[in-house]
């Protein structure tokens, strides 16, 4: 789920110590330019490049910069660890030599996970489960889409999971705990000093307990006095196990807090990351209007809670209140705002009301739409809550009050960021991947049918044209043409009336184009037939102004005529996820930098 950008590199070892790295290089022959890459134990997301030259070892830290790029201090920035190593294999540019020979990780040796690597997934799951009340598949989907927003937040509270963390206990209680049982040198615990929330490290040496204050600088990094700085408390502790860094000795055995290691951490509140505590240098917490570490996430405070409790299928008319407000209208139905009364209170709903009740065909169509929706359960797909057959046939759905994506973007051009659009389109790709897995074809994916619950939360809607395929079918063949959204359709839909998840991928490309054009109309001046000719002649929609290159290349891939060359949603989602992760890492880093700068200004 959390993909380490170096995971694919055969010379990446993960979280190994400097000593271990040197052992590997020795075993591999110590030739000049022999190198390997390992995880940095100090900074989140950083690496260390270990190189041999002249029978000596050289270790270069690679920092993940605030803008999401990677560089060796003082060197050029690169977009990833792979690109960085590639660069230094051609040009030493300040290193002792070029990288000549990768020291390959033996095939039977897995990448060594760091302390946090093995906790992260569970912590993310716990967070999503507890915060949004999700389980199973739905939780997994939410974890995938929210990981980049949450990872850093979670990393900063990971120490609460460690057996050596004793929480808020007085100094004397710390001593008592360390003195009980055997007292080997290095036995230690970390406690919250209570007053102003700073941390202290207490350790045994020669049967005496020593206390050290853990310092926290203005940018939120932790260290021992004059020592190396770390992004998190647990990284500091891991490091002190290897090096004393000013202590009387290295940390040894953890004095256990007696709780199981995977106890529930307190969930980080939205301000925690930047809520810096007063430190001895008189540093004051930033004012309340600083950017929050955790902006409200899609699922916060929405219809998202316990969606299953709500699904009732046959809704009694007396439970529904229809509002006069019309949210939208089509040929056969209009969508109205309404309220559904449940045992737990009232919830806002959107109600699709059939206009022409006498028309049986139309009624059948709506029943089919309901049948499809009833089978779907995904955070990024509008949920059907039930049907109500009263004065009209009514399809009751959860409310997506911020409306269709195209209108939203057109109306909020100035405030919606690129990051926001990438996030939303990633959510759509997660929903579409789910449909692909369940063998449903949507057939009307377009920005008008992506509805927003709020500016950061998208759901796919309008299953009026959707079809469920049988297990042995790879496409749906339509018998008649009908009123089709031709501009969103792949060539095989129009020429052969063949619809598959791959043709939905084509539509996804057009939807992406609409999104990055802030609700622009695709193939503006062209009519249906002209669009077909345009596409057949090999031409494609142009890259929208300001649209990231990576996103436009994905659109072009979605518009491959040959099905083999067109990615499936599994690939599309992966690609969107990587972009989403890197864009949000960049902007989070930017926010952190801004907060740090602001903090500097207030102190
Ligand atoms: P049609 O087949 O007529 O396009 P849609 O299902 O797309 O029907 O709904 C038409 C319009 O109604 C949408 O564009 C949207 O503005 C509004 N609408 C539909 N479903 C919802 C919903 N769940 N929440 C809010 N608005 C909705
Ligand atoms: Mg529609």
């Amino acid at each position: 789920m959390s993909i380490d950008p170096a995971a694919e590199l055969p010379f990446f070892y993960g979280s190994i110590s400097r000593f271990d790295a040197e052992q590997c290089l020795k075993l591999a022959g110590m030739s000049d330019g022999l190198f390997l890459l390992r995880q940095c134990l100090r900074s989140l997301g950083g690496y260390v490049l270990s190189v041999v030259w002249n029978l000596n070892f050289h270790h270069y830290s690679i920092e993940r910069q605030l803008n999401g790029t990677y560089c060796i201090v003082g060197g050029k920035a690169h977009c990833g660890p792979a690109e960085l190593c590639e660069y230094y294999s051609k040009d030493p540019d300040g290193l002792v030599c070029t990288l000549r020979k990768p020291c390959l990780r033996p095939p039977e040796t897995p990448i060594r996970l760091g302390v946090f690597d093995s906790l992260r997934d569970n912590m993310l799951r716990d967070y999503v489960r507890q915060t949004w009340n999700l389980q199973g598949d739905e939780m997994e989907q939410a974890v995938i889409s929210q990981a980049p927003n949450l990872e850093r937040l979670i990393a900063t509270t990971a120490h609460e999971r460690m057996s050596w963390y004793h929480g808020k206990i007085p100094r004397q209680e710390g001593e008592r705990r360390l003195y009980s049982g055997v007292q080997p040198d290095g036995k230690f615990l970390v406690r919250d000093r209570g007053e102003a929330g700073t941390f202290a490290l207490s350790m045994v040496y020669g049967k005496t307990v020593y206390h050290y204050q853990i310092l926290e600088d203005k940018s939120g990094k932790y260290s021992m006095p004059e020592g190396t700085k770390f992004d998190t408390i647990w990284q500091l502790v891991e490091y002190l196990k290897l090096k004393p860094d000013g202590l009387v000795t290295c940390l040894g055995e953890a004095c256990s807090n007696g709780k199981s290691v995977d106890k529930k951490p307190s969930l980080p509140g939205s301000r925690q990351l930047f809520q810096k505590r007063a430190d001895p240098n008189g540093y004051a917490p930033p004012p309340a209007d600083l950017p929050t570490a955790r902006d409200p996430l899609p699922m916060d405070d929405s219809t998202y809670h316990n969606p299953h409790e709500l699904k009732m299928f046959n809704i009694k008319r007396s439970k529904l209140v229809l509002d006069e407000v019309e949210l939208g209208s089509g040929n056969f139905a209009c969508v109205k705002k309404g309220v559904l009364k449940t045992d737990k209170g009232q919830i806002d709903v959107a109600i699709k009301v059939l206009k022409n009740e006498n028309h049986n065909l139309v009624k059948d169509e709506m029943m089919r739409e309901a049948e499809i929706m009833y089978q779907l359960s995904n955070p990024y797909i509008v949920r059907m809550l039930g049907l109500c057959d009263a004065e009209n046939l009514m399809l009751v759905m959860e409310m997506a009050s911020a409306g269709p994506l195209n209108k939203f973007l057109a109306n909020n051009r100035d405030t919606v960021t690129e990051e926001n659009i990438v996030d939303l389109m990633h959510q759509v790709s997660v929903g579409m991947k789910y449909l692909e897995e369940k063998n449903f074809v949507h057939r009307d994916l377009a920005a008008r049918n992506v509805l927003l619950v709020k500016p950061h939360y998208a759901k796919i809607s309008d299953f009026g044209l959707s079809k469920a395929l049988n297990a042995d079918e790879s496409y749906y063949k339509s018998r008649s043409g009908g009123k089709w959204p031709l501009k969103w359709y792949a060539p095989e839909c129009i020429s052969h009336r063949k619809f598959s998840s791959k043709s939905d991928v084509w539509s996804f490309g057009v939807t992406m184009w609409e999104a990055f054009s802030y609700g622009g109309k695709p193939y503006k001046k062209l009519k249906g037939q002209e669009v077909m000719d345009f596409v057949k002649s090999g031409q494609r929609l142009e890259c929208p102004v300001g649209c990231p290159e990576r996103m436009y290349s994905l659109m072009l891939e979605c518009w491959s005529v040959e099905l083999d060359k067109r990615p499936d949603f599994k690939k599309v989602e992966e690609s969107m996820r990587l972009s989403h992760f890197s864009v949000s890492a960049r902007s989070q880093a930017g926010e952190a930098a801004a907060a740090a700068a602001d903090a500097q200004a207030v102190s």
Side-chain angles (χ1 to χ4, degrees):
M1 180 199 37
S2 330
I3 311 159
D4 190 306
E8 299 287 310
L9 301 175
F11 51 87
F12 177 61
Y13 285 68
S15 175
I16 61 167
S17 66
R18 172 184 285 226
F19 178 80
D20 288 342
E22 295 181 351
Q23 293 307 308
C24 293
L25 293 167
K26 267 186 203 161
L27 278 174
M30 295 295 283
S31 60
D32 283 344
L34 183 70
F35 69 98
L36 62 78
L37 189 70
R38 55 195 170 95
Q39 205 178 69
C40 176
L41 306 177
R42 282 185 298 108
S43 70
L44 289 170
Y47 300 96
V48 178
L49 186 59
S50 301
V51 191
V52 175
W53 174 251
N54 225 350
L55 299 178
N56 278 322
F57 302 107
H58 298 264
H59 302 275
Y60 300 95
S61 329
I62 301 171
E63 300 270 345
R64 185 163 69 183
Q65 300 283 104
L66 295 175
N67 63 6
T69 59
Y70 294 83
C71 72
I72 293 177
V73 178
K76 275 194 184 144
H78 301 271
C79 61
E83 290 78 2
L84 181 139
C85 293
E86 174 80 24
Y87 172 80
Y88 285 104
S89 69
K90 295 188 185 116
D91 184 347
D93 200 13
L95 305 194
V96 280
C97 62
T98 52
L99 306 179
R100 292 191 198 154
K101 188 178 161 204
C103 173
L104 300 181
R105 189 163 42 81
E108 68 278 11
T109 315
I111 291 177
R112 182 147 172 234
L113 294 181
V115 181
F116 181 55
D117 291 322
S118 39
L119 276 180
R120 172 173 42 208
D121 285 13
N122 281 337
M123 290 188 71
L124 281 169
R125 281 201 179 80
D126 280 354
Y127 187 92
V128 169
R129 190 184 303 128
Q130 292 173 46
T131 317
W132 297 308
N133 225 336
L134 294 180
Q135 288 164 1
D137 262 6
E138 298 203 82
M139 175 181 71
E140 297 303 329
Q141 308 267 343
V143 166
I144 287 176
S145 86
Q146 297 312 316
N149 299 322
L150 296 176
E151 227 174 83
R152 213 183 157 80
L153 184 70
I154 279 169
T156 57
T157 58
H159 58 269
E160 293 176 15
R161 289 251 177 156
M162 310 294 175
S163 63
W164 43 254
Y165 181 68
H166 288 239
K168 221 182 246 179
I169 55 165
R171 182 187 174 108
Q172 295 77 2
E173 175 60 14
E175 289 184 356
R176 196 191 63 75
R177 293 186 187 187
L178 284 165
Y179 283 133
S180 75
V182 284
Q183 298 141 35
D185 286 350
K187 183 177 170 188
F188 75 100
L189 59 81
V190 171
R191 54 191 170 79
D192 188 332
R193 290 178 73 219
E195 101 226 16
T198 53
F199 297 98
L201 173 70
S202 304
M203 82 184 292
V204 177
Y205 184 72
K207 308 278 180 222
T208 305
V209 172
Y210 291 78
H211 301 277
Y212 300 89
Q213 193 187 336
I214 296 176
L215 302 178
E216 190 183 352
D217 75 5
K218 286 167 187 161
S219 63
K221 292 199 185 250
Y222 299 98
S223 65
M224 300 316 289
E226 324 254 309
T228 316
K229 296 189 171 185
F230 297 85
D231 279 347
T232 62
I233 297 274
W234 53 269
Q235 285 172 313
L236 171 68
V237 165
E238 287 306 305
Y239 184 81
L240 292 174
K241 287 181 183 171
L242 302 171
K243 270 198 179 174
D245 211 28
L247 308 187
V248 283
T249 182
C250 284
L251 299 184
E253 179 188 308
C255 171
S256 171
N257 56 22
K259 295 174 201 146
S260 77
V261 174
D262 62 357
K263 74 181 172 104
K264 293 233 155 38
S266 70
L267 293 175
S270 59
R271 297 198 151 260
Q272 193 150 336
L273 194 59
F274 292 121
Q275 206 121 56
K276 293 306 169 200
R277 302 136 193 133
D279 76 7
N281 308 322
Y283 170 71
D289 59 355
L290 273 184
T292 54
R294 180 173 158 323
D295 287 330
L297 291 176
M299 286 75 139
D300 289 341
D301 172 39
S302 72
T303 51
Y304 212 74
H305 296 280
N306 291 331
H308 302 292
E309 276 177 17
L310 295 171
K311 212 164 177 175
M312 41 183 97
F313 212 77
N314 268 322
I315 294 174
K316 286 205 190 90
R317 182 63 182 86
S318 57
K319 301 279 180 196
L320 270 183
V321 183
L322 265 76
D323 203 302
E324 278 314 302
V325 178
E326 231 177 63
L327 298 166
S329 171
N331 286 337
F332 308 114
C334 68
V335 179
K336 287 192 168 170
K337 201 167 173 273
V339 170
L340 174 66
K341 296 183 216 160
T342 73
D343 301 343
K344 299 228 167 118
Q346 303 197 343
I347 54 166
D348 286 343
V349 289
I351 307 166
K352 199 172 208 173
V353 186
L354 207 56
K355 281 183 194 163
N356 194 341
E357 201 57 50
N358 313 331
H359 210 307
N360 264 336
L361 274 180
V362 176
K363 196 166 174 174
D364 284 354
E365 251 174 52
M366 187 139 131
M367 289 301 285
R368 272 200 293 274
E369 181 175 350
E371 234 166 79
I372 299 260
M373 286 185 93
Y374 190 69
Q375 298 172 62
L376 304 175
S377 174
N378 183 279
Y380 306 107
I381 292 178
V382 170
R383 250 173 248 288
M384 180 185 83
L385 303 173
L387 272 175
C388 174
D389 201 356
E391 67 271 23
N392 296 84
L393 183 60
M394 295 180 270
L395 174 65
V396 182
M397 299 170 277
E398 63 181 348
M399 175 71 158
S401 52
L405 179 65
N406 55 341
K407 286 192 188 155
F408 175 81
L409 291 174
N411 293 335
N412 296 281
R413 228 170 209 289
D414 301 332
T415 49
V416 179
T417 60
E418 168 202 327
E419 180 196 359
N420 193 169
I421 300 178
V422 174
D423 186 3
L424 291 172
M425 286 312 297
H426 174 241
Q427 294 174 21
V428 175
S429 73
V430 174
M432 290 308 297
K433 185 174 113 176
Y434 168 84
L435 285 184
E436 177 177 86
E437 280 162 4
K438 296 210 46 156
N439 236 7
F440 283 93
V441 288
H442 188 286
R443 298 181 66 220
D444 200 2
L445 179 58
R448 64 180 171 277
N449 288 329
V450 171
L451 303 182
L452 300 186
V453 178
K454 49 177 112 184
H456 285 276
Y457 192 4
K459 284 176 181 262
I460 299 160
S461 79
D462 197 348
F463 290 83
L465 286 172
S466 301
K467 303 283 173 210
L469 301 180
N470 292 323
D472 55 349
E473 291 172 328
S474 61
Y475 63 88
Y476 162 81
K477 177 133 184 162
S478 161
R479 271 185 261 137
S480 57
K483 217 176 155 223
W484 281 357
L486 293 177
K487 290 183 176 179
W488 282 261
Y489 274 0
E492 73 272 10
C493 306
I494 302 165
S495 317
H496 308 292
R497 296 185 191 157
K498 277 183 168 179
F499 294 88
S500 61
S501 293
K502 286 276 178 106
S503 55
D504 280 345
V505 167
W506 182 290
S507 315
F508 181 85
V510 182
T511 309
M512 272 180 90
W513 185 93
E514 294 179 273
F516 286 100
S517 315
Y518 288 86
K521 294 200 165 52
Y523 312 100
K524 209 166 182 183
K525 293 173 218 111
L526 304 184
K527 298 243 162 56
Q529 181 61 42
E530 292 166 343
V531 173
M532 280 173 61
D533 297 339
F534 180 81
V535 168
K536 259 196 194 140
S537 73
Q539 301 180 79
R540 295 292 181 267
L541 287 163
E542 280 175 19
C543 182
V545 178
C547 169
E549 194 127 317
R550 194 160 165 183
M551 290 290 96
Y552 186 59
S553 353
L554 180 60
M555 288 178 213
L556 291 178
E557 277 182 58
C558 293
W559 301 328
S560 307
V561 173
E562 285 171 58
L563 292 189
D564 297 346
K565 299 217 171 104
R566 202 182 299 162
D568 54 12
F569 277 112
K570 186 166 180 286
K571 285 228 181 75
V572 169
E573 189 276 327
E574 216 172 84
S575 198
M576 289 302 306
R577 191 195 314 177
L578 284 172
S579 302
H580 170 38
F581 280 28
S582 68
V583 174
S584 54
R586 250 190 285 149
S587 88
Q588 272 177 28
E591 271 173 33
D598 280 1
Q600 206 105 34
V602 282
S603 65

